[in-house]
Amino acid sequence: MSESLQARGLPVSHGFGKRDAGAPKSLRRPHQVHGVGVVVVREPGPEALGEADAVVCNHPQVPVGIVTADCVPILVASRDGRVVAAIHGGWRGLAAGVVASGVAALRELTEDELVAAIGPHAGPCCYEVDTPVLDALGERFSAILAAACRPSRPGHMWLDLGQVANAALEQAEVTAIERLPDACTACPGAPFFSVRRDGAETGRLLHWIQAG
Ligand SMILES: [Zn+2]
């Protein structure tokens, strides 16, 4: 599961987190705030970056990453592997356009085709949202939102947030997209941290990528 971009022939290193996964050495990651900010990393340095929910890097010795515990992790690379990004796709960030801002920052560094992988997140089996969340997503994703939902309780829907992330990538004209199957973080017994299942104090999954 952790080698989907390499399997497509991209000369990058990357990993989607599980509960027991470690962090690569020299990793740099932003302070996530569920926004649309992007930080561009061009050199090694201390781990902590500023506030952002997407991190773009073109240095081959510096892995960059984001953390999640049910939100959608999105890793993107140029086909030549020289520019990479990790994007934190929660519903707030997706509604606000974090994928668009992350992809735009990537395109400032490369004209190559972009390839994306969508990692483990709370699936439609476990991710129930209410009307305000759907309203927020509806502004940007009206074309696909109905197809990504099925009814639960009154005023609530089960939502396939990965499908929303997929649509966000397509809107940003990234069409080579891989969605990892069978990777719901919140299902009972799944080998992931999940806020939905375990509460807000649970751990976080680290997802990282490093340019080749
Ligand atoms: Zn599930």
Side-chain angles (χ1 to χ4, degrees):
M1 185 175 84
S2 64
E3 298 179 339
S4 53
L5 291 175
Q6 285 107 322
R8 296 182 74 129
L10 273 71
V12 298
S13 306
H14 69 96
F16 283 116
K18 287 194 171 183
R19 237 177 351 224
D20 55 359
K25 204 162 166 251
S26 308
L27 175 84
R28 306 195 73 188
R29 62 185 182 89
H31 177 63
Q32 298 170 209
V33 292
H34 292 277
V36 299
V38 185
V39 60
V40 178
V41 175
R42 300 173 189 273
E43 55 192 10
E47 179 190 348
L49 299 166
E51 288 188 356
D53 286 270
V55 53
V56 171
C57 184
N58 64 355
H59 192 293
Q61 266 90 52
V62 182
V64 293
I66 52 96
V67 295
T68 66
D70 290 337
C71 292
V72 184
I74 304 164
L75 301 178
V76 191
S78 57
R79 180 69 73 179
D80 64 9
R82 297 171 76 94
V83 186
V84 298
I87 302 172
H88 166 226
W91 71 263
R92 288 184 187 82
L94 289 168
V98 68
V99 170
S101 63
V103 169
L106 266 169
R107 289 217 164 97
E108 288 186 13
L109 298 176
T110 181
E111 295 181 350
D112 205 6
E113 184 195 7
L114 300 180
V115 181
I118 294 173
H121 55 275
C125 42
C126 296
Y127 193 69
E128 188 183 45
V129 298
D130 60 12
T131 303
V133 172
L134 296 169
D135 288 348
L137 289 167
E139 291 184 23
R140 196 173 283 267
F141 302 105
S142 59
I144 62 97
L145 200 56
C149 289
R150 62 188 169 82
S152 60
R153 296 171 285 158
H156 294 71
M157 291 276 183
W158 298 109
L159 173 63
D160 184 348
L161 197 61
Q163 193 172 332
V164 175
N166 197 95
L169 286 162
E170 289 180 346
Q171 286 176 6
E173 297 179 2
V174 178
T175 53
I177 304 167
E178 177 151 356
R179 286 184 68 181
L180 300 180
D182 300 327
C184 174
T185 51
C187 274
F192 305 106
F193 295 117
S194 168
V195 167
R196 291 275 169 144
R197 186 188 59 228
D198 303 328
E201 299 307 310
T202 191
R204 294 293 183 271
L205 304 166
L206 171 69
H207 317 282
W208 62 275
I209 187 164
Q210 182 171 349

